[in-house]
Protein backbone atom coordinates (compact mmCIF):
# COMPACT_ATOMS: atom_id res chain seq x y z
CA UNK A 1 0.00 0.00 0.00
CA UNK A 2 2.77 2.43 0.92
CA UNK A 3 6.34 2.07 -0.39
CA UNK A 4 9.31 1.99 1.94
CA UNK A 5 11.70 4.96 2.12
CA UNK A 6 13.77 3.20 -0.55
CA UNK A 7 10.71 2.92 -2.82
CA UNK A 8 10.44 -0.86 -2.43
CA UNK A 9 7.69 -2.98 -0.93
CA UNK A 10 7.60 -3.33 2.84
CA UNK A 11 8.43 -6.66 4.41
CA UNK A 12 4.99 -7.87 5.68
CA UNK A 13 6.13 -8.28 9.31
CA UNK A 14 7.67 -4.81 9.36
CA UNK A 15 4.53 -3.31 7.83
CA UNK A 16 2.35 -4.99 10.49
CA UNK A 17 4.64 -3.76 13.26
CA UNK A 18 4.49 -0.19 11.96
CA UNK A 19 0.72 -0.40 11.53
CA UNK A 20 0.25 -1.64 15.13
CA UNK A 21 2.33 1.26 16.45
CA UNK A 22 0.39 3.85 14.44
CA UNK A 23 -3.05 2.59 15.41
CA UNK A 24 -2.15 2.26 19.10
CA UNK A 25 -0.80 5.81 19.19
CA UNK A 26 -3.98 7.05 17.52
CA UNK A 27 -6.23 5.00 19.89
CA UNK A 28 -7.54 2.95 16.96
CA UNK A 29 -6.32 -0.41 18.20
CA UNK A 30 -9.47 -2.09 16.92
CA UNK A 31 -8.71 -1.12 13.29
CA UNK A 32 -6.92 -3.86 11.39
CA UNK A 33 -5.96 -4.26 7.76
CA UNK A 34 -8.93 -6.60 7.51
CA UNK A 35 -11.17 -3.77 8.73
CA UNK A 36 -10.21 -1.81 5.64
CA UNK A 37 -10.93 -4.78 3.38
CA UNK A 38 -14.36 -5.25 4.94
CA UNK A 39 -15.29 -1.64 4.29
CA UNK A 40 -15.06 -2.52 0.62
CA UNK A 41 -18.10 -4.71 1.28
CA UNK A 42 -20.17 -1.55 1.56
CA UNK A 43 -18.95 -0.52 -1.86
CA UNK A 44 -19.56 -3.97 -3.32
CA UNK A 45 -23.08 -4.17 -1.88
CA UNK A 46 -24.13 -1.34 -4.16
CA UNK A 47 -24.43 -3.26 -7.43
CA UNK A 48 -23.16 -0.32 -9.49
CA UNK A 49 -19.95 -0.24 -7.46
CA UNK A 50 -19.10 -3.95 -7.71
CA UNK A 51 -16.55 -3.22 -10.41
CA UNK A 52 -14.93 -0.46 -8.34
CA UNK A 53 -14.77 -2.74 -5.32
CA UNK A 54 -13.17 -5.59 -7.26
CA UNK A 55 -10.59 -3.19 -8.69
CA UNK A 56 -9.86 -1.77 -5.23
CA UNK A 57 -9.33 -5.27 -3.83
CA UNK A 58 -7.12 -6.24 -6.76
CA UNK A 59 -9.37 -9.07 -7.92
CA UNK A 60 -9.06 -10.23 -11.53
CA UNK A 61 -12.83 -10.24 -11.93
CA UNK A 62 -16.04 -9.25 -10.23
CA UNK A 63 -17.05 -12.86 -9.57
CA UNK A 64 -14.49 -13.20 -6.75
CA UNK A 65 -15.65 -9.95 -5.16
CA UNK A 66 -19.29 -11.00 -5.51
CA UNK A 67 -18.68 -14.39 -3.93
CA UNK A 68 -16.47 -13.27 -1.02
CA UNK A 69 -17.49 -9.72 -0.14
CA UNK A 70 -21.06 -8.98 -1.10
CA UNK A 71 -23.44 -9.46 1.81
CA UNK A 72 -25.84 -12.30 1.24
CA UNK A 73 -29.37 -12.21 2.50
CA UNK A 74 -30.23 -15.15 4.71
CA UNK A 75 -33.93 -14.98 4.28
CA UNK A 76 -35.79 -18.14 3.50
CA UNK A 77 -39.23 -18.57 2.01
CA UNK A 78 -42.32 -17.75 4.07
CA UNK A 79 -43.41 -21.08 5.55
CA UNK A 80 -45.46 -19.91 8.50
CA UNK A 81 -48.74 -20.99 6.92
CA UNK A 82 -47.43 -24.56 6.59
CA UNK A 83 -46.36 -24.66 10.23
CA UNK A 84 -49.68 -23.16 11.31
CA UNK A 85 -51.44 -26.01 9.51
CA UNK A 86 -49.45 -28.61 11.48
CA UNK A 87 -50.15 -26.87 14.78
CA UNK A 88 -53.87 -26.58 13.99
CA UNK A 89 -54.11 -30.29 13.08
CA UNK A 90 -52.19 -31.45 16.14
CA UNK A 91 -54.37 -29.50 18.58
CA UNK A 92 -57.72 -30.57 17.14
Amino acid sequence: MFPSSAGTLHVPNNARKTWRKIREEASFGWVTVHTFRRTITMLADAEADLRSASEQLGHAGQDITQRLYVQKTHQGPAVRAVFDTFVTRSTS
Side-chain angles (χ1 to χ4, degrees):
M1 183 160 41
F2 303 106
S4 69
S5 58
T8 60
L9 295 175
H10 283 279
V11 174
N13 284 338
N14 291 344
R16 281 190 284 274
K17 182 179 175 182
T18 302
W19 175 243
R20 276 192 304 273
K21 182 181 176 192
I22 291 169
R23 66 188 177 143
E24 287 170 9
E25 288 175 1
S27 298
F28 285 103
W30 57 273
V31 177
T32 65
V33 174
H34 188 70
T35 307
F36 287 118
R37 287 187 68 85
R38 293 304 296 171
T39 58
I40 299 300
T41 301
M42 290 183 271
L43 244 183
D45 282 343
E47 195 66 32
D49 290 326
L50 185 59
R51 181 171 173 233
S52 297
S54 64
E55 289 173 358
Q56 182 71 30
L57 291 165
H59 294 158
Q62 295 178 22
D63 57 322
I64 295 169
T65 310
Q66 176 78 35
R67 189 166 27 109
L68 299 176
Y69 286 91
V70 174
Q71 295 290 329
K72 297 165 185 66
T73 60
H74 298 286
Q75 185 175 0
V79 293
R80 181 177 178 167
V82 175
F83 287 123
D84 285 346
T85 302
F86 287 124
V87 170
T88 304
R89 287 183 184 170
S90 66
T91 58
S92 17

